[in-house]
Amino acid sequence: MIYEGKQKIWADYQKEIPDDHYFYVRSCIRQSFFPASEATFLDITRNRLGKDIFETEHHTTCGGIAYHSDTIPQETVMTIIARQFALMAKNGYENYVCSCITSFGLYCETMETWREFPELEAKIRENLWKTCKLDFAKPKFLIHASDLVYKYRNLIAKQAVHKLVNVHTGQPLRVVEHIGCHYSKMFPSKGVGGAEYPYVLVGMIEAWGGEIVDYPERRHCCGFGFRQYFIKGNRGYSISNTHKKFESMEPFHPDFIITNCPGCPYFMDRWQYVIAESTGKTYGKDGHGIPVLTYEEVAGLVMGYDPWDLGLQTHQVGVEPLLDKMGIEYDPEKKYLGKGGKDIGQPEPCICMK
Amino acid sequence: MVMGRLYDLLMKDYRLREGLNACINCGTCTAVCPAAEFYRYDPRRIVDIVQSKDEEEIEKLLRSDTIWYCGECMSCVTRCPRKNAAGLIIMALRNLSIELGYFIESEKGRQQFLLTKDLCSNVLDYGYCVYPRRFDYAGHPEAGRVWEWEEKHLDDVFERLGGNLDGPGPGAMRRIPQEDRDQLKAIFDETGATERMEKVRAAGLKKAAELGMTEEEFSRMVYFTSDPKHLNH
């Protein structure tokens, strides 16, 4: 086949994603703030689609947040990563799938640096043996968990209970997709669709019936900035960037936002709350915010999971307007109940944001 | 100052060797940079200074607030027409600033005192960079009323959502076995992270003493202070 023009460019950004047999590593932020998202990913892939996704309790953080906050040397983070790779090989896997975008970017950076500087890879191998008596093999395929859901998007669509369609109007839901910066901004060829036109989330939305919203600041960072959030005096950086994105998307009236980075949904959800409570401004209709979901949560809604099993009650921006549009039934009385219906109270109400 | 000393030290960092090719000073990195909009920050200028090998200017950078403004989002990498990576150059500058002890001289640089203490202890104590029991609502009011509620009922919330907070075996926020955390400590010791932690802590405590502050007073100042001079408007 002869590729021309845009076809050729597009072909450069296709990514081979194996169908099955993955070693899974979790994300520090996703586990902390969206534990149900990781549970849903594993339930969909293992139990609904019958895939082999293996997890060991012995894996740890990749160290990425500490590294990008400049608190540990590059050699340290690379040796931690090598240890993760060693666990993959030890358990008989070649395909590596990670939940975190910071991790994904860092794995790409590490593999690329080792390719350019083989002596560094040799040093890391030596470090790992000296400290852990482990040897590592590099993954044959390095995949982000959103790549895998993208790969399975049509299988998920076949099992869909709900579509990304407004049941009251019959129109597709209007969706903002926000890609984590470290997914493909550093290594465009490692992400589905590259950095300019990443397709990983767009593909899911299209397959599940929604419509993508384009807006000027679509590729702008959510504003995490590592040290720019962890230190309280720096947090103006973080909220300012989220604010910029929301001001830019507001005129396009998105129904919700889908994200593939674990940090972005936290910041875009929580900073909307702060903007609302400090200025009275909300970006959804009638005092509501714009719900910000992980791709696992969106897949779960499409497949008919209960919204409260997906953890949507732990978002500060209420998701009920979205559930109503999709025609999803839910019990408001059960929103904040613990396991087995245990009463564990509920959050205090917001002043401005519904 | 021996000519080229700092530049040579920077060039030992793989990130600089990867990140600095031939900057043409077009300013695309600055145009797209989230930090440059918020802070008085110009990554184009930083790359140009490093490329110039001007020791005096590089030393000024290493002692300045400027190199600490970047959020390491790496948006600059995508857009540079010459495949430079201003974000990686910043990481190399920060690394050298810490190695030489210059970081403690600037308001933003000395934030490493808290960042290193908090993030490294999370990694060594729990095996995670972020650990929910150490993410308190009082310190993070923007986490919302929902996090205030979650914090009070963390075990119940994790149980409800299929997590395994501090539990055995696999799962979200499981207790990572001691043997694995021991391996992380061994990696820290072997690869310079422990030495880095000690160096940053010693520099912070020395600075606190110079300012006549206790560690707690110094920590509070570092955590809360942000001089408006940093801002772009």
Side-chain angles (χ1 to χ4, degrees), chain A residues 59 83 196 229 244 270, chain B residues 37 79 142-143 174 180:
Chain A
H59 83 278
R83 182 181 175 279
E196 297 290 357
Y229 176 71
K244 180 174 176 160
R270 299 312 209 271
Chain B
E37 192 166 343
R79 302 289 183 193
E142 70 285 345
R174 71 211 173 278
D180 301 305

Side-chain angles (χ1 to χ4, degrees), chain A residues 35-36 39-40 305-314 331 333-344, chain B residues 149-150 153-165:
Chain A
T40 303
Y305 285 66
D306 184 284
W308 314 142
D309 288 346
L310 293 171
L312 298 183
Q313 65 274 42
T314 63
D331 186 345
E333 300 298 320
K334 291 184 177 171
K335 184 171 181 180
Y336 295 110
L337 294 180
K339 193 174 181 182
K342 183 180 177 185
D343 182 0
I344 53 173
Chain B
W149 167 73
E150 283 189 69
H153 307 282
L154 213 49
D155 293 290
D156 282 319
V157 170
F158 267 78
E159 187 185 21
R160 170 71 184 88
L161 300 180
N164 184 22
L165 183 59

Side-chain angles (χ1 to χ4, degrees), chain A residues 274-347:
Chain A
V274 174
I275 291 167
E277 299 300 279
S278 56
T279 71
K281 172 89 184 258
T282 50
Y283 291 98
K285 278 188 179 170
D286 306 323
H288 291 282
I290 303 172
V292 190
L293 274 63
T294 68
Y295 57 92
E296 300 103 319
E297 289 167 346
V298 179
L301 287 179
V302 166
M303 295 184 86
Y305 285 66
D306 184 284
W308 314 142
D309 288 346
L310 293 171
L312 298 183
Q313 65 274 42
T314 63
H315 293 227
Q316 187 63 65
V317 174
V319 296
E320 285 84 350
L322 172 64
L323 303 180
D324 293 339
K325 285 174 193 169
M326 289 179 70
I328 294 173
E329 290 184 9
Y330 57 93
D331 186 345
E333 300 298 320
K334 291 184 177 171
K335 184 171 181 180
Y336 295 110
L337 294 180
K339 193 174 181 182
K342 183 180 177 185
D343 182 0
I344 53 173
Q346 60 182 43

Side-chain angles (χ1 to χ4, degrees), chain B:
Chain B
M1 182 68 65
V2 180
M3 274 299 286
R5 189 184 73 93
L6 292 174
Y7 182 79
D8 291 344
L9 288 173
L10 282 171
M11 280 305 282
K12 287 184 179 172
D13 194 312
Y14 289 98
R15 291 167 292 197
L16 199 92
R17 286 147 73 180
E18 276 191 305
L20 183 62
N21 296 307
C23 170
I24 57 171
N25 260 288
C26 66
T28 305
C29 53
T30 303
V32 76
C33 176
E37 192 166 343
F38 185 72
Y39 289 126
R40 291 184 179 174
Y41 178 60
D42 182 356
R44 179 202 61 82
R45 177 79 183 121
I46 289 175
V47 175
D48 196 39
I49 287 172
V50 173
Q51 183 172 251
S52 75
K53 305 183 188 178
D54 184 326
E55 286 290 291
E56 201 175 315
E57 289 297 316
I58 291 174
E59 186 173 333
K60 274 190 210 165
L61 271 185
L62 295 174
R63 295 179 187 274
S64 73
D65 284 300
T66 310
I67 57 170
W68 303 100
Y69 292 150
C70 168
E72 298 188 14
C73 69
M74 303 293 171
S75 300
C76 49
V77 180
T78 314
R79 302 289 183 193
C80 178
R82 287 293 176 271
K83 305 290 180 198
N84 294 292
L88 287 179
I89 294 168
I90 283 289
M91 291 178 80
L93 285 163
R94 289 175 173 180
N95 186 66
L96 186 57
S97 178
I98 293 166
E99 286 300 313
L100 298 175
Y102 294 167
F103 73 101
I104 207 69
E105 295 175 23
S106 67
E107 179 198 297
K108 297 290 183 192
R110 70 181 64 125
Q111 292 170 344
Q112 291 309 112
F113 177 73
L114 283 184
L115 289 165
T116 303
K117 183 175 146 191
D118 291 349
L119 292 170
C120 290
S121 62
N122 281 351
V123 172
L124 295 174
D125 295 348
Y126 300 103
Y128 301 106
C129 280
V130 176
Y131 178 66
R133 294 197 201 278
R134 280 192 177 168
F135 192 89
D136 62 317
Y137 173 70
H140 304 83
E142 70 285 345
R145 307 314 293 261
V146 75
W147 185 255
E148 180 188 36
W149 167 73
E150 283 189 69
E151 186 182 44
K152 286 179 195 159
H153 307 282
L154 213 49
D155 293 290
D156 282 319
V157 170
F158 267 78
E159 187 185 21
R160 170 71 184 88
L161 300 180
N164 184 22
L165 183 59
D166 297 329
M173 297 317 301
R174 71 211 173 278
R175 180 171 179 76
I176 291 175
Q178 184 64 50
E179 69 203 70
D180 301 305
R181 285 180 282 134
D182 288 345
Q183 290 191 348
L184 288 179
K185 178 68 169 72
I187 290 172
F188 265 52
D189 290 347
E190 178 64 24
T191 59
T194 303
E195 190 185 336
R196 164 82 57 98
M197 288 168 68
E198 289 165 355
K199 183 180 284 187
V200 169
R201 178 163 174 77
L205 293 178
K206 187 174 171 221
K207 190 71 186 176
E210 279 172 24
L211 296 170
M213 292 178 169
T214 64
E215 182 181 348
E216 193 183 338
E217 288 166 343
F218 180 69
S219 297
R220 282 187 63 79
M221 180 191 74
V222 168
Y223 189 58
F224 288 105
T225 302
S226 184
D227 193 313
K229 74 177 182 186
H230 303 299
L231 304 179
N232 204 11
H233 47 78

Side-chain angles (χ1 to χ4, degrees), chain A residues 56-90:
Chain A
T56 171
E57 71 206 78
H58 298 291
H59 83 278
T60 66
T61 178
C62 73
I65 292 173
Y67 174 67
H68 279 294
S69 300
D70 306 281
T71 66
I72 56 175
Q74 188 179 36
E75 208 175 293
T76 305
V77 84
M78 284 184 169
T79 309
I80 295 174
I81 285 170
R83 182 181 175 279
Q84 308 273 73
F85 289 168
L87 293 175
M88 175 195 72
K90 191 177 166 185

